[in-house]
Amino acid sequence: MFKNRVFPIIIVLVLVLISCGNKTNDISKTTETEKSELTTIDSKTETILVGANNTSQYLSLLKGKRVGIVANQTSVIFKSDNNQYTHVVDSLLALNIDVKQVFAPEHGFRGNADAGEVVKDGIDTKTKLPIVSLYGKNKKPTKAQLADLDIIVFDIQDVGARFYTYISSLHYVMEACAEAKIPILILDRPNPNGHYIDGPILEMTHKSFVGMHPIPVVHGMTIGEYAQMINGEYWLANGIKCELTVIPIKNYTHKKPYSLPIKPSPNLPNDVAINLYPSLCFFEGTNVSAGRGTSGQFQVYGSPFLDKDDYTFKFVPQPNVGAKYPKHKGEICYGEDLRDLKTSSMLNLDYLIRAYNNSVGKQKFFNDFFTKLAGTKQLQQQIENGISENDIKASWEKGHAEFKTMRSKYLIYD
């Protein structure tokens, strides 16, 4: 079972460590220390070792190269345990790897920008490395931004949901690298929702940045596996392929629970939120709040339009870190508290269906964003027509079977 851990201490550590250019000891001493720590970790066969930790497999690929890296606050190399780590950019610089620039996805390099907030280019104050936003003027690296690079490293912690935009950034980085004939190196990390597959398959007529490929909402793949699928299914523009190397995770299977030591984005503060995210994110396409502007982001939901006799739990969204302008700011929202929920291995539609059925003014319940999240118009139509959750899920079975067959070709882990 996942541990419901909160991250106040880790957030402080992240703010310190991710400010690239932390003080480092003599490089030779640091290297020996890291080797000793990694050996200790690896000797514990039950311990998951992320791709970034497997330095012996990729440092030789970076030596003498001009390196760009796609990174955020989750891009770390762990030390003796998952509560001690160094940002991968700091480690590469300490090892004399020629890192030229950092590319930042949605939420920014430090991971503190709101969902959908434009992230600006900048300069890291400690290392003076240029930070290039992939969630601002362009979502795909330009030729000019890649001109002085020999290789791109991609190291981002994902949560395994189609509409979580890090995999969309992955697509565009792969496409830009393929066009520029630059290899891409992926440092793989576990998928905390990798233990199941669920949700409607995206129809390509509804392709957007929150859904780019014909996969279910919960795809059960790591970033590395998913990259192999993008390449193998010729999903890049004009069917091109990029030169791809995946540094795998050690001691990992899709059924092995993984508690994220660092929150992957501002509104996924703990394991419960990450586990509920595929289910509750649908509320982003409705007039129901998914808890942004509270301390229970993606663990509670509610709305002023839900019946307070049916929903006894209530909350009032207020601006906070990661939610400057929360939905229903300052209004009482009636809904449900899911913070004590145990780990789920399914996408739960009951929350959505129940909220729709109990909402005042059903014609205003859904907005245009819902179809982008669902990847199909059918789900909204099924809910509006009173189709049961079981029957809705039955309509996904054929698509899931076809996806699992395709997926099997790209799996790295059992």
Side-chain angles (χ1 to χ4, degrees):
M1 306 300 283
F2 290 118
K3 299 176 183 176
N4 182 12
R5 302 196 319 194
V6 188
F7 299 82
I9 297 175
I10 289 175
I11 291 172
V12 174
L13 286 170
V14 171
L15 292 174
V16 173
L17 292 172
I18 201 156
S19 297
C20 300
N22 295 331
K23 293 182 179 179
T24 56
N25 297 323
D26 177 77
I27 291 173
S28 61
K29 293 180 181 178
T30 301
T31 303
E32 291 305 314
T33 300
E34 288 179 352
K35 285 181 180 178
S36 175
E37 287 173 335
L38 296 184
T39 300
T40 301
I41 297 173
D42 202 19
S43 68
K44 301 175 182 178
T45 56
E46 76 281 1
T47 301
I48 290 173
L49 201 66
V50 300
N53 272 64
N54 298 323
T55 52
S56 63
Q57 294 191 35
Y58 65 87
L59 283 181
S60 62
L61 302 176
L62 304 180
K63 291 286 186 182
K65 304 287 181 63
R66 298 170 298 175
V67 178
I69 181 166
V70 184
N72 66 4
Q73 78 286 354
T74 67
S75 311
V76 300
I77 294 176
F78 294 103
K79 301 297 180 181
S80 57
D81 59 56
N82 281 2
N83 290 322
Q84 298 179 23
Y85 42 79
T86 301
H87 197 277
V88 70
V89 173
D90 292 327
S91 293
L92 293 179
L93 290 171
L95 293 166
N96 285 335
I97 298 300
D98 187 14
V99 180
K100 291 293 187 183
Q101 60 189 18
V102 178
F103 295 89
E106 184 177 6
H107 304 297
F109 183 45
R110 311 216 186 282
N112 54 13
D114 282 9
E117 181 181 348
V118 172
V119 177
K120 296 180 180 180
D121 294 348
I123 299 292
D124 184 74
T125 56
K126 296 296 179 68
T127 64
K128 308 305 179 186
L129 287 175
I131 306 296
V132 179
S133 173
L134 296 180
Y135 203 76
K137 292 182 293 185
N138 55 281
K139 292 184 171 65
K140 176 179 174 179
T142 65
K143 289 182 180 179
Q145 290 166 347
L146 297 177
D148 296 326
L149 301 177
D150 298 314
I151 189 170
I152 290 286
V153 176
F154 192 103
D155 185 18
I156 298 283
Q157 176 65 61
D158 189 44
V159 300
R162 186 185 66 219
F163 32 60
Y164 203 59
T165 62
Y166 297 154
I167 59 173
S168 298
S169 294
L170 172 68
H171 171 105
Y172 281 129
V173 170
M174 289 176 65
E175 191 169 275
C177 286
E179 292 168 349
K181 295 181 171 50
I182 296 174
I184 181 170
L185 175 71
I186 293 180
L187 307 181
D188 212 5
R189 292 181 182 270
N191 175 357
N193 286 314
H195 53 294
Y196 72 108
I197 292 168
D198 212 343
I201 304 288
L202 177 128
E203 299 165 359
M204 292 305 287
T205 52
H206 302 297
K207 175 182 175 180
S208 72
F209 197 63
V210 292
M212 299 193 69
H213 304 130
I215 63 170
V217 169
V218 185
H219 50 73
M221 305 178 81
T222 66
I223 283 276
E225 291 171 326
Y226 192 67
Q228 293 187 156
M229 179 181 281
I230 291 174
N231 242 6
E233 296 302 314
Y234 301 95
W235 284 340
L236 301 179
N238 302 313
I240 58 177
K241 286 189 173 184
C242 71
E243 182 182 337
L244 175 67
T245 300
V246 178
I247 304 302
I249 311 155
K250 289 186 178 181
N251 309 321
Y252 172 70
T253 72
H254 286 286
K255 298 298 182 184
K256 193 167 185 178
Y258 185 68
S259 177
L260 300 193
I262 302 169
K263 66 179 181 179
S265 55
N267 287 287
L268 291 181
N270 55 43
D271 294 333
V272 174
I274 289 165
N275 187 235
L276 282 168
Y277 176 74
S279 300
L280 297 193
C281 191
F282 283 121
F283 283 125
E284 302 283 83
T286 73
N287 62 10
V288 175
S289 165
R292 294 184 190 272
T294 76
S295 61
Q297 310 99 313
F298 290 99
Q299 302 151 81
V300 303
Y301 70 89
S303 164
F305 307 111
L306 295 182
D307 192 330
K308 63 182 178 181
D309 292 328
D310 289 325
Y311 291 94
T312 56
F313 175 71
K314 60 185 178 181
F315 60 89
V316 179
Q318 297 289 356
N320 65 4
V321 176
K324 294 182 180 70
Y325 310 103
K327 187 185 296 183
H328 304 311
K329 182 183 76 170
E331 298 184 68
I332 298 175
C333 295
Y334 299 94
E336 190 171 2
D337 185 353
L338 306 173
R339 283 175 285 192
D340 292 329
L341 198 71
K342 302 300 181 183
T343 302
S344 175
S345 295
M346 61 175 282
L347 192 156
N348 193 322
L349 290 178
D350 180 65
Y351 312 130
L352 183 64
I353 293 171
R354 185 181 169 212
Y356 173 78
N357 289 336
N358 285 276
S359 181
V360 175
K362 291 182 175 56
Q363 70 280 4
K364 294 183 179 179
F365 184 82
F366 294 103
N367 59 51
D368 292 341
F369 192 49
F370 185 84
T371 295
K372 289 183 178 181
L373 293 170
T376 175
K377 288 185 177 180
Q378 186 181 37
L379 180 57
Q380 179 177 337
Q381 293 167 347
Q382 289 170 321
I383 293 171
E384 290 175 337
N385 290 331
I387 307 299
S388 70
E389 180 177 26
N390 287 341
D391 288 343
I392 291 173
K393 290 203 165 192
S395 70
W396 301 340
E397 290 176 359
K398 181 176 181 294
H400 286 177
E402 293 171 350
F403 171 73
K404 287 176 182 178
T405 298
M406 177 175 67
R407 171 181 175 268
S408 65
K409 296 182 289 184
Y410 307 108
L411 294 181
I412 302 172
Y413 317 98
D414 295 334

